Amino acid sequence: MLVTSHHTLQTPVLMDTVYITAGPQQRASLLCTPKPRVATTGRRSLSFTARASINSGAAKVSIPKQWYNLVADLPVKPPPPLHPQTHQPLNPSDLSPLFPDELIRQEVTDERFIDIPEEVIDVYELWRPTPLIRARRLEKQLGTPAKIYYKYEGTSPAGSHKANTAVPQAWYNAAAGVKNVVTETGAGQWGSALSFASSLFGLNCEVWQVRASFDQKPYRRLMMETWGAKVHPSPSPATEAGKKILATDPSSPGSLGIAISEAVEVAATNGDTKYCLGSVLNHVLLHQTVIGEECLEQMAALGVVPDVVIGCTGGGSNFGGLAFPFMREKLAGRMSPEFMAVEPAACPTLTKGVYAYDFGDTAGLTPLMKMHTLGHGFVPDPIHAGGLRYHGMAPLISHVYELGFMDAISIQQTECFQGNQSYSAFFSAALQFARTEGIIPAPEPTHAIAAAIREAMECKRTGEEKVILMAMCGHGHFDLAAYEKYLRGDMVDLSHSADKLEASLAAVPKV
């Protein structure tokens, strides 16, 4: 829902959090949240409305009823995906072996808004709307005049933003009569989300988890199995694609590209099975715009407009989900924020890759997509931000980047944990955030935190009172091995070698 007017809050203290709750989990969260910092409402719970009325002027924010499609408002449309054999524009029917018809329609549509099914909203109500929080304690410690807000997606059952698309993908598959779904996962956030969603709609779920993350994050695997999924380390001997990789490199750490190849192979060769993807494709980014649509309304309720919007990027769904609705407002002349994507230095797709047609997977089974890529054969080093270890980028994010509508930077993982020492000699970016805001972030959004701290410290230097909005896409409760490694002093920066990148880029198809 687009809010075009700002609401003035009449509370006797500054309210810096819009924390909207709609279910039992959020009831507990609300009771533990200081009331002066909270504006609340609920779609179905009178108790929340009553509690909100205690704070006169508390903001009412609802779950969006529609997803937003940025393609409708772009002055130049994105290049079409190509058939991997003919190199001709893909026919939507070519995607039928992988996806149900409604998701294919969403993938190719130019419609501006897509209605969210009531059955999906009903599940969203378990955790949505999610809170928009002002990081006052972090601001104070940094001594910055900037105002830092973060949209926190870690309240979902799976602990991240991934459930925003897992639920509709599972529902559309179940509605089409599909019995089995397969997918890949890096850090395990997406695999957890799809396992959760599949359990709600009676689907069998099979997941290929990148080997590096499979070994680093055993509790993510257990989480998926608790929700009924079958989980393989990738590369695995269960597929031809996996066998080929293992024959070449038995100790391969895997990559999202390899895991995608394995899942796509199974879906394409089994008529009762469909494939689900956690990022990159248009329909995935579409579903994630519930984040930005909510945030627009929440910021309007607080009477603030962002000067810069920051998010980490691996495949692009987290960044696009928050940024795209704000990008619409900028294109319409209603606000003018800058947009910054932050990626790991070990997998710098936007900042070091080429903009070209390439496969979305390692084995070359997917359509060719025009995107920033490091080459579909590129296997990133096993950094702890497993969800960002993807060789490509969402074609829509890549297109927007090429149009000049956003910027991108890359950051080493040690800065994400230890921060820039000129900014803070005492805490890391991740630890500083945890020790001031109370949330232990997943390794992926620590990239956004590090970039937000950079921006805030620049404001300290210049005296600017910028409003910084960042995407906090998930918690790090199952990533504590990374924190242990940092606290013990064992974490090192991993980067790509020039020779490795050159060889990978040489294999990009000539289209």
Side-chain angles (χ1 to χ4, degrees), residues 5-9 18 59 61 296-304:
S5 62
H6 289 183
H7 304 279
T8 302
L9 301 179
V18 181
V61 179
L296 273 171
E297 192 172 350
Q298 288 168 319
M299 297 201 86
L302 292 171
V304 293

Side-chain angles (χ1 to χ4, degrees), residues 39 67 86 97 106 111 345 425 446 468 473:
W67 295 302
T86 67
Q106 292 177 12
E111 293 178 61
T446 62
I468 301 168
C473 56

Side-chain angles (χ1 to χ4, degrees), residues 225-502:
E225 291 173 344
T226 297
W227 277 315
K230 182 177 181 180
V231 186
H232 306 271
S234 173
S236 78
T239 67
E240 293 303 315
K243 290 176 185 177
K244 184 176 180 180
I245 296 294
L246 290 173
T248 303
D249 181 7
S251 61
S252 171
S255 70
L256 279 168
I258 295 170
I260 290 171
S261 292
E262 297 202 80
V264 168
E265 177 186 318
V266 172
T269 55
N270 290 273
D272 60 353
T273 302
K274 296 293 185 184
Y275 170 65
C276 296
L277 185 62
S279 192
V280 180
L281 295 183
N282 290 357
H283 69 270
V284 181
L285 275 64
L286 174 82
H287 300 157
Q288 292 293 355
T289 59
V290 294
I291 303 171
E293 293 293 347
E294 278 180 11
C295 196
L296 273 171
E297 192 172 350
Q298 288 168 319
M299 297 201 86
L302 292 171
V304 293
V305 176
D307 294 299
V308 59
V309 179
I310 300 172
C312 65
T313 49
S317 68
N318 160 66
F319 177 80
L322 178 63
F324 283 179
F326 286 91
M327 208 168 282
R328 175 191 68 220
E329 298 304 288
K330 183 172 183 176
L331 288 170
R334 291 187 281 266
M335 59 177 66
S336 57
E338 297 176 351
F339 301 93
M340 182 185 297
V342 192
E343 57 188 8
C347 194
T349 310
L350 287 168
T351 53
K352 297 291 186 181
V354 298
Y355 185 52
Y357 273 102
D358 197 8
F359 295 105
D361 71 311
T362 300
L365 301 177
T366 69
L368 291 165
M369 299 178 289
K370 190 71 175 290
M371 61 182 179
H372 288 85
T373 178
L374 299 171
H376 60 278
F378 184 80
V379 178
D381 287 329
I383 57 172
H384 286 279
L388 306 184
R389 293 180 65 245
Y390 182 57
H391 70 271
M393 181 56 61
L396 193 48
I397 296 283
S398 291
H399 182 63
V400 167
Y401 184 61
E402 285 296 305
L403 292 177
F405 293 168
M406 56 177 277
D407 294 316
I409 61 172
S410 64
I411 295 181
Q412 291 280 8
Q413 67 175 352
T414 53
E415 182 178 342
C416 296
F417 279 83
Q418 76 182 19
N420 186 312
Q421 294 302 304
S422 66
Y423 297 162
S424 172
F426 303 101
F427 298 108
S428 69
L431 296 187
Q432 191 169 11
F433 188 85
R435 294 173 183 179
T436 55
E437 296 304 309
I439 295 171
I440 298 174
E444 290 79 9
T446 62
H447 292 72
I449 295 170
I453 289 175
R454 285 186 183 183
E455 190 74 24
M457 296 309 294
E458 178 63 15
C459 288
K460 182 177 182 178
R461 187 186 69 81
T462 64
E464 292 180 275
E465 297 183 6
K466 284 187 177 181
V467 174
I468 301 168
L469 172 63
M470 68 175 179
M472 251 295 293
C473 56
H475 66 65
H477 298 171
F478 297 99
D479 303 287
L480 293 178
Y483 284 84
E484 181 181 34
K485 195 165 186 178
Y486 170 71
L487 291 168
R488 286 181 175 179
D490 295 333
M491 182 175 288
V492 297
D493 283 328
L494 298 172
S495 189
H496 59 282
S497 72
D499 290 343
K500 180 180 176 181
L501 180 57
E502 184 179 355

Side-chain angles (χ1 to χ4, degrees), residues 62-378:
S62 59
I63 299 173
K65 298 295 180 64
Q66 294 178 311
W67 295 302
Y68 168 63
N69 180 17
L70 179 65
V71 173
D73 292 318
L74 291 178
V76 180
K77 302 306 179 188
L82 304 180
H83 192 284
Q85 276 80 50
T86 67
H87 291 184
Q88 295 301 307
L90 200 69
N91 189 307
S93 63
D94 294 329
L95 297 173
S96 293
L98 298 181
F99 305 111
D101 290 345
E102 179 56 27
L103 290 179
I104 294 173
R105 187 185 76 81
Q106 292 177 12
E107 183 65 24
V108 301
T109 187
D110 287 341
E111 293 178 61
R112 181 170 285 106
F113 294 101
I114 302 293
D115 290 341
I116 304 175
E118 281 298 323
E119 294 86 348
V120 172
I121 292 177
D122 185 62
V123 179
Y124 277 174
E125 287 179 337
L126 290 172
W127 74 93
R128 303 211 70 85
T130 57
L132 171 69
I133 304 171
R134 182 172 172 189
R136 281 188 170 274
R137 295 174 182 85
L138 178 61
E139 293 170 11
K140 181 178 179 181
Q141 189 174 89
L142 295 174
T144 179
K147 297 177 176 65
I148 304 172
Y149 290 85
Y150 59 97
K151 179 69 166 162
Y152 183 48
E153 292 294 302
T155 59
S156 77
S160 80
H161 70 295
K162 294 294 188 179
N164 297 329
T165 185
V167 171
Q169 287 192 54
W171 185 79
Y172 285 122
N173 273 287
V178 175
K179 301 300 181 186
N180 308 303
V181 292
V182 294
T183 195
E184 76 295 323
T185 193
Q189 297 277 18
W190 165 241
S192 299
L194 187 63
S195 301
F196 155 70
S198 296
S199 73
L200 297 181
F201 297 112
L203 296 172
N204 299 314
C205 181
E206 196 166 2
V207 182
W208 275 261
Q209 183 174 17
V210 173
R211 166 61 80 174
S213 294
F214 184 91
D215 294 337
Q216 290 172 349
K217 308 172 194 295
Y219 294 109
R220 275 286 166 196
R221 171 179 57 80
L222 288 171
M223 198 174 189
M224 291 182 260
E225 291 173 344
T226 297
W227 277 315
K230 182 177 181 180
V231 186
H232 306 271
S234 173
S236 78
T239 67
E240 293 303 315
K243 290 176 185 177
K244 184 176 180 180
I245 296 294
L246 290 173
T248 303
D249 181 7
S251 61
S252 171
S255 70
L256 279 168
I258 295 170
I260 290 171
S261 292
E262 297 202 80
V264 168
E265 177 186 318
V266 172
T269 55
N270 290 273
D272 60 353
T273 302
K274 296 293 185 184
Y275 170 65
C276 296
L277 185 62
S279 192
V280 180
L281 295 183
N282 290 357
H283 69 270
V284 181
L285 275 64
L286 174 82
H287 300 157
Q288 292 293 355
T289 59
V290 294
I291 303 171
E293 293 293 347
E294 278 180 11
C295 196
L296 273 171
E297 192 172 350
Q298 288 168 319
M299 297 201 86
L302 292 171
V304 293
V305 176
D307 294 299
V308 59
V309 179
I310 300 172
C312 65
T313 49
S317 68
N318 160 66
F319 177 80
L322 178 63
F324 283 179
F326 286 91
M327 208 168 282
R328 175 191 68 220
E329 298 304 288
K330 183 172 183 176
L331 288 170
R334 291 187 281 266
M335 59 177 66
S336 57
E338 297 176 351
F339 301 93
M340 182 185 297
V342 192
E343 57 188 8
C347 194
T349 310
L350 287 168
T351 53
K352 297 291 186 181
V354 298
Y355 185 52
Y357 273 102
D358 197 8
F359 295 105
D361 71 311
T362 300
L365 301 177
T366 69
L368 291 165
M369 299 178 289
K370 190 71 175 290
M371 61 182 179
H372 288 85
T373 178
L374 299 171
H376 60 278
F378 184 80

